[in-house]
Amino acid sequence: MDDIIIAQNDNAETISNINSAISETCMVCGECVSRCFLNTAYPDMNPRRLIRKIALGRAQEMVDSEFIWACTLCARCTADCPKDLRMDAIIRNVRGMAWTQGKVPARIREGIEKGKEFGNNVGMDSEEFIDTAQWIAEEMEDDAEDLPEGALDVPFDREGAEIFYVPNPREYTSNPGMFQTYLKFFAYVGADWTLSSKVFDITNWPYYMGDQEDAVDLVRLMVDEARNLGARILLTTECGHGFKILRKDAENWLDEKLDFEVLSIIELAHRYWKEGRIKLSKGSVDKKITYHDPCNVGRKVGVFEAPREILREIASEFVEMWPNRKYSVCCGGGGSVGQNSDMGAKRLEHAHYKKDQILATGADVVATSCQNCLTQLGDLQARYEMPVEIKSVIELVVEAIEHDRD
Amino acid sequence: MPSNSKKSAVIVGAGIAGLASARLLSENGVDVTVIEKSSGIGGHVANWGCMATSECQVCHCCSLSDIIAALDESPVRFMTGWQLESINTGVGGQLSGVIVVENESRNIREIPADALILSIGFETFDPSSKGLWGYGVLDGVITLAEFDDFIREDRLSELVPDQDAPRIAFFQCVGSRDKSIGANYCSQYCCKAGLRSAIRIKTDKPDWDVSLFYIDLQVAGKYATTLLDNAKDLGIHLVQGVPGEVFPYQGNKLGVVSEKNGLNVRDQFDRIILSVGQRPNPTAADLSRITGVGLDNFGFFRNLEGLDRFRTSEKGIYVAGACSGPMDIETTLTSAEAATADILEDLSNWREGS
Amino acid sequence: MGSVSKPAGEDILTDRIPTALVLGSGLGAMLMCAELAALRFSVRMMELPDTMAGDLYCSVPEVDVQRLRGSLMSAMEGIEVFRSKDWPKIGRDQAGFHADVDHFRSHRFDTLFFAGGPGTKLPALLRPDLFEPYKPESFSVDQPENLVFLLDYPEPTDPAAGMSAIASALSNAKIGGRSSVVLKNAPVRHLHGETLYDSAKTSGVIFYRFVDCSIELAQKKCSETGVTQVCVSFQDCIEMGADHEITCDRLLLVTGPDNEGITSVAGYIPGMDIDRNGFMISDSAHCNTFKSFNRGIYCIGGFSGTTDLLNVISQAKAAAAHARSFALACHSENRQSVLSISDQCIRCLTCHRICPHSAIWVSAASSRSQMKSIGAACVECGICVSECPRIALDLRGFPETAFSGFIEDIGRENDKIVVYGCSRSAARAISSLSLPPDVVFFSTPCAGSISEKVILETINAGARGVLIVGCHHGNCASRNGTDWACDRVRSVVDNFVAPLEIKAPLEYRTVAPNEATKLERTIRRFVEKVHSKPDCL
Ligand code: SF4
Ligand code: SF4
Ligand code: SF4
Ligand code: SF4
Ligand code: SF4
Ligand code: SF4
């Protein structure tokens, strides 16, 4: 008998395994079929079928399908895959083929090209970024009253700062309120932080497209900048995939150890709260709150308890959705679907499962910790007229700090 | 040791494997002591029901009763509530003729042992660790062993109260063939057990709707065709692909999605029966420390290969039954009796050599 | 003769050296011989005519066929091997077995083994010319080839044979060949079966799952090389979109052990069991997969329906250990008198014919032939006793007086409901139950020991109802004892109860020993039925 090679599929998505046929050990168990929230929207397609098509030499059919663009890379289907396969990696592999064939949604292609030129997907240069960020901060004068002089100033390129903060472009384009929330947070905790005038986009659209080369370049930019600045913490904003890539994949992709910590702002807030650096007014939010686990922050990285502990402290009532944590249902907007204008209204129709889950909790507030989820949940709320408020965990944290200060 | 004394064997674990070895060793003139940690004998099989329809389905459960009846008339000694404390090895690592056992109140006793059989069996997989099956969360999701209670206690009609024609589904490979939980092996008993149970239901209750979701049916041996044909003839739906999620559906129903004929189909059931796999017995680790018999990657006792597959790295220590790998009852019985042959062989050789 | 050393430990081996005859050829027979020799049997092997070595057994992880064959060769040294032109006719008498062929005529042995198999199955197929049977023991690939292994066609493939095929597909893929496996169920029934399957997949073996009845075969000439190829087309049960088509140089059909011809083989052994699937050895769980109703006769390997070498090794060892204890016990004085045959016998041969354990033989030694009981083979089921027209038979452990005494008691205590039950099933199940006050339970050796006469006498004695409980059909320790009970109850109902309008209900039911609750319900229902009848008789 020949020696048996025990098939290995490492959990981390390394460059080599994304480019090889990572789907081959699939044993068609069917587990993933039932777990994909798209199984009603695409009745003749499911993750297992996709793998079978690849295995039987029909990958091109998938390259040309809408399914690969509807998939949110949520990886819920393969959360417990008996063969440790990872659907997000497999879909990115197929999208990679589409990318090389020039078949990717226009809006995403544009974003990637801007990213290559400017280092961010909105095509903003350094000067414009500095101006915008300062302008947003100035708009907050009212809040500055009870803070020490200069607490709301925006630091740029401060070498030796403990924290290098990387925002999501939404904060300086469509949703400046978010940026203000983070500024307040830094001010309240008295953080030693900085922005970079060169690297100010946490997102990584090439990753979505299976364009591994460009994805690695973007990570390299961020890592180098963190080193240049001598930061001890690379702090990511509430951005699921951006955080996940830096935390989980960067060392593998770059094949080197990172000499700084990668933290999401939720983890930092949680740490400061545990250390007593911030005080959260207990029960200050007199509402029933539930938490939506972003796929990247939760299932893929494993940050489940920090946001829950915070929410339990500040909410008068906390309820769980079912299923949650590792098995959380995707909001429906991840993996480029939210950015892909081709998926337009469909992304809201596809997400009916999430809607039902939210309504079943009877919560007043849905908190989450990813700006992409936040946008999608907000759109869902409007589309289905759900009687809930959608908030980021940090917004609630800042409110609770303020409540305590009053 | 006086030359005319009988040879002794100690069997650790009074499941069906240990008992089968005990009987055959005793019939071959060996002095046998069975030690069992718990207070009862018979192990898992003692809790399983008969699957006979109009005829026996050859599940081998009732063999236990044959074996116990034979043991009742034999000189085999039982020590329930006792476990292995230590062993003594002599020259060449051979068991030196006594082992030490201990009971819950920490009493220690030495018993003669020229051979030691490890037959501690397995533990069933706890399906709540893969949360989306809803075991422990949704009322209608039960394990095969829990279903077996309804058969053993002759109350199948109560499986789904207030339902004339309920829909029942079996999920195969639950906790087996699964790397994500460290069990990348087939448990070998569950396909047949699931099929027999489905056939049993459908024979008793022809109006019920029974489905069996599987990955690959492993029906080995000459009964394979009979089982499959019976299942098909009775109208049991055999569906390739096991749903990975069960959700509450229209009140107290259980919803699943599976792929049938190339389409994702939503089904609803009243009961879902999980054919849970076999995991290594957690006490194997302790016994491994005491005896020196190693464990394999999965946590089963490591046996030697080929013709020596009931022997271990330690001279005089043997394995029988599912503690060295998952097995159905039929294979367990054969393996337990096979281990007996090796002991008889070694005991007579050893005498010659010494 | 085989050189068998005298056993050393008198405590476990007696002075008598047990003897064995192994019928068969190939790996299974060698294995059986080796195990018997290890247990100090004096062993002889007889190679069967029209040799049946089927290259049947499969290397699976943990056992390699070639390596095993090598190690068995040395174990076979000193074991006498005979070849016979004809099938031996096996006989059995009080002194043991004898084979009626060539120079075996004068040899006797204590135990008999069938080991080996009638080869791999070749089902009737539409285009047999396109297939090649996959023979696990001899299959090897030296050159990269383009192979298709077809499993589960037309019947489920034995998982062991299937795993062996996967291993072959893998080794072909590893040297650069193209391997495809077309199946319905991937075989993984082994601790390392899943790992083997994984390795095959990662090494480039492609697995397809065909939809029932979708396979089509054709021959094609390769336009470049001019070589004839086989083209297999089918639908994949998951990727149903379009038909799949694979061309290959060789199409290997993977099946399992063959049962063709076993019936004729078994014809040479009186009363040998054939199960409902056409394999030797009984279906009864009681016999596991290697024992038979004929005590002292064992069967391993392909004959018993398995090609899994791990299983065959276990069977050989277990059979040897069982045979040893049987051989030690069968000569004991104690066994010789379990059944007595009185001179009331008129040699109608009924007992000889119906004994499910072939435990009665006809001695033609003297001028008058005589019925003789073979104590070692008799399991004391009492079936013969129940059918003897002359009441010439009596079991020491369960004498005729046992029934008559009980029936007398019933006559004295009026209005009892009688439950007769097999000692192996009903009696064990009932031990944990408390019975209604008017029910009396009587344990019988086998449900088949209850004759029509006993049933009628019980009713006549005044029982208000008679319930007979046997083992489930197919799990009777005496093959068909429970069926005897069923037939007799039916016959008594048809011939007496109905015509004579006897009111006492008479029923037959089956249980297993682990069905106490079911038995309780069965008895309760029966009692209700009795009580609902107006006073009987
Ligand atoms: S869960 Fe994994 S092994 Fe199962 S069908 Fe899906 S990808 Fe394949
Ligand atoms: S959407 Fe999520 S669940 Fe569906 S295939 Fe993509 S990763 Fe899997
Ligand atoms: S083997 Fe199983 S099905 Fe057959 S009688 Fe015994 S318990 Fe019942
Ligand atoms: S026997 Fe069947 S159900 Fe059990 S693990 Fe193996 S394939 Fe799965
Ligand atoms: S059945 Fe009775 S009468 Fe007939 S041969 Fe046997 S012992 Fe003699
Ligand atoms: S009692 Fe049973 S086994 Fe013995 S001879 Fe009579 S029928 Fe045969």
Side-chain angles (χ1 to χ4, degrees), chain B residues 23 81 215 342 344:
Chain B
R23 174 178 70 171
I215 304 175
D342 287 348
L344 293 172

Side-chain angles (χ1 to χ4, degrees), chain B residues 5-7 24 27-30 48-50 52 54-56 58 60-63 65-66 69 152-154 177 184-186 188 200 214-218 220-223 226 228 240 259 261-262 296 298 300 303 305-307 309-310 324 326 328 330 333-334 337-338 341-342 344-345 348-349 351-352, chain C residues 6 8-9 11-13 31 35 38-40 62-63 68 71-72 156 158-159 185-191 194-195 197-198 209 238 240 275-277 279-283 285-286 288-291 304-305 310 313-315 317-318 321-322 324-325 424 428 472-475 512-515 517-518 521:
Chain B
S5 77
K6 266 186 154 188
K7 292 288 186 203
L24 196 51
E27 282 174 4
N28 273 287
V30 178
W48 290 343
C50 168
S54 59
E55 57 180 14
C56 163
V58 210
H60 285 87
C61 277
C62 62
S63 304
S65 136
D66 285 345
R152 197 184 69 245
E153 293 160 10
D154 191 36
R177 308 184 63 190
N184 197 32
Y185 55 79
C186 161
Q188 303 186 33
R200 173 70 206 255
Y214 66 93
I215 304 175
D216 300 287
L217 290 172
Q218 309 293 322
K222 51 191 183 178
Y223 311 116
T226 316
L228 281 178
Q240 202 285 335
E259 186 183 336
N261 299 323
D296 68 13
F298 304 121
F300 293 109
N303 50 320
E305 294 206 340
L307 284 178
R309 52 191 303 261
F310 303 101
S324 66
D328 57 15
E330 180 181 310
L333 288 170
T334 321
E337 297 183 339
D342 287 348
L344 293 172
E345 180 187 351
S348 49
N349 285 340
R351 166 61 59 81
E352 245 172 19
Chain C
K6 187 177 178 304
D11 41 320
I12 57 166
L13 287 172
L31 196 52
E35 289 304 331
L39 293 195
R40 313 299 173 92
E62 281 185 57
V63 211
L68 182 66
S71 64
L72 288 176
D158 185 64
N185 292 293
V188 292
R189 200 174 172 276
H190 181 288
L191 182 59
E194 194 67 42
T195 321
Y197 182 35
D198 286 346
R209 275 158 202 270
I238 293 162
M240 301 193 71
D275 68 21
R276 65 191 124 159
N277 297 295
F279 288 98
M280 232 181 233
I281 292 301
S282 123
D283 269 334
H286 191 72
N288 203 345
T289 60
F290 59 91
K291 284 176 275 181
S304 74
L310 289 184
I313 291 176
S314 305
Q315 285 181 325
K317 287 180 188 286
H322 268 283
R324 188 177 176 282
S325 70
R424 178 171 164 258
R428 287 184 205 152
H472 290 299
H473 173 72
N475 190 30
N514 52 354
E515 287 188 304
T517 335
K518 183 179 160 195
R521 179 187 51 142

Side-chain angles (χ1 to χ4, degrees), chain C residues 341-342 344-352 360 371 384 387-393:
Chain C
I341 305 179
S342 77
Q344 287 297 303
C345 171
I346 51 162
R347 294 178 300 284
C348 69
L349 300 190
T350 304
C351 52
H352 172 69
I360 291 180
M371 309 310 294
C384 56
E387 284 289 297
C388 173
R390 302 289 300 166
I391 320 183
L393 297 162

Side-chain angles (χ1 to χ4, degrees), chain C residues 11-43:
Chain C
D11 41 320
I12 57 166
L13 287 172
T14 59
D15 286 337
R16 252 197 101 262
I17 294 173
T19 52
L21 174 67
V22 177
L23 283 169
S25 53
L27 202 63
M30 286 162 73
L31 196 52
M32 195 64 245
C33 289
E35 289 304 331
L36 287 165
L39 293 195
R40 313 299 173 92
F41 272 77
S42 162
V43 189

Side-chain angles (χ1 to χ4, degrees), chain C residues 354-516:
Chain C
I354 66 169
C355 170
H357 305 279
S358 306
I360 291 180
W361 66 290
V362 192
S363 147
S366 59
S367 54
R368 236 175 94 98
S369 63
Q370 246 189 319
M371 309 310 294
K372 297 267 184 181
S373 143
I374 306 170
C378 175
V379 304
E380 303 169 61
C381 66
I383 293 178
C384 56
V385 181
S386 69
E387 284 289 297
C388 173
R390 302 289 300 166
I391 320 183
L393 297 162
D394 208 24
L395 275 174
R396 187 179 61 196
F398 190 76
E400 184 53 32
T401 50
F403 271 125
S404 51
F406 173 72
I407 294 170
E408 265 169 41
D409 289 349
I410 293 301
R412 273 193 295 276
E413 306 168 55
N414 239 333
D415 289 350
K416 289 288 177 199
I417 297 169
V418 174
V419 181
Y420 286 117
C422 165
S423 58
R424 178 171 164 258
S425 51
R428 287 184 205 152
I430 217 158
S431 61
S432 60
L433 303 178
S434 55
L435 294 174
D438 52 348
V439 172
V440 267
F441 179 80
F442 188 73
S443 168
T444 64
C446 166
S449 68
I450 308 155
S451 64
E452 287 185 23
K453 182 166 157 271
V454 166
I455 301 175
L456 280 167
E457 280 177 357
T458 314
I459 296 174
N460 282 340
R464 292 184 64 196
V466 179
L467 174 65
I468 294 183
V469 189
C471 297
H472 290 299
H473 173 72
N475 190 30
C476 174
S478 292
R479 184 173 1 206
N480 48 11
T482 191
D483 306 336
W484 275 109
C486 177
D487 292 348
R488 284 168 181 158
V489 166
R490 192 172 296 139
S491 144
V492 172
V493 168
D494 290 352
N495 298 327
F496 300 95
V497 176
L500 301 179
E501 291 176 21
I502 294 173
K503 295 209 184 65
L506 172 60
E507 276 182 18
Y508 159 79
R509 291 282 179 273
T510 59
V511 290
N514 52 354
E515 287 188 304

